[in-house]
Amino acid sequence: MNTKEAVLDILNDLTGEDLSDRMDENLFDTGLLDSMATVQMLLELQENTGITAPVSEFNRDEWATPNKIIEKVESLKNE
């Protein structure tokens, strides 16, 4: 499974919505992600992609849309 598929699977499970055609939608502004869902997302991303993404270093602007999340995960995988 590639990063995009992994991120969308996690987001779709957390939000209950198919976000594949809404890749630039701000998930916080729309209320699809709250703080609890964000923590769950980070934990699942760490488990499914092998990245390390501490909640203490979480920047909402960098993780606001599906595309930004994919970009951030890819950058963390390359560190």
Side-chain angles (χ1 to χ4, degrees):
M1 181 179 296
N2 66 35
T3 301
K4 180 179 179 180
E5 291 171 338
V7 168
L8 284 175
D9 278 355
I10 292 167
L11 290 175
N12 292 346
D13 284 345
L14 287 173
T15 64
E17 297 197 23
D18 179 4
L19 298 170
S20 59
D21 61 346
R22 299 156 51 190
M23 300 297 287
D24 291 313
E25 185 169 303
N26 188 310
L27 302 173
F28 299 105
D29 288 349
T30 58
L32 290 172
L33 282 184
D34 59 17
S35 57
M36 290 298 291
T38 300
V39 171
Q40 184 68 31
M41 175 188 72
L42 292 174
L43 292 173
E44 290 191 32
L45 285 171
Q46 290 180 88
E47 185 176 305
N48 293 321
T49 66
I51 64 166
T52 300
V55 175
S56 60
E57 296 177 23
F58 179 80
N59 179 330
R60 191 180 241 194
D61 291 337
E62 294 177 348
W63 299 81
T65 70
N67 274 332
K68 286 184 176 182
I69 295 168
I70 292 166
E71 182 180 324
K72 188 68 178 175
V73 169
E74 287 292 336
S75 74
L76 291 170
K77 288 171 82 174
N78 293 323
E79 285 185 352

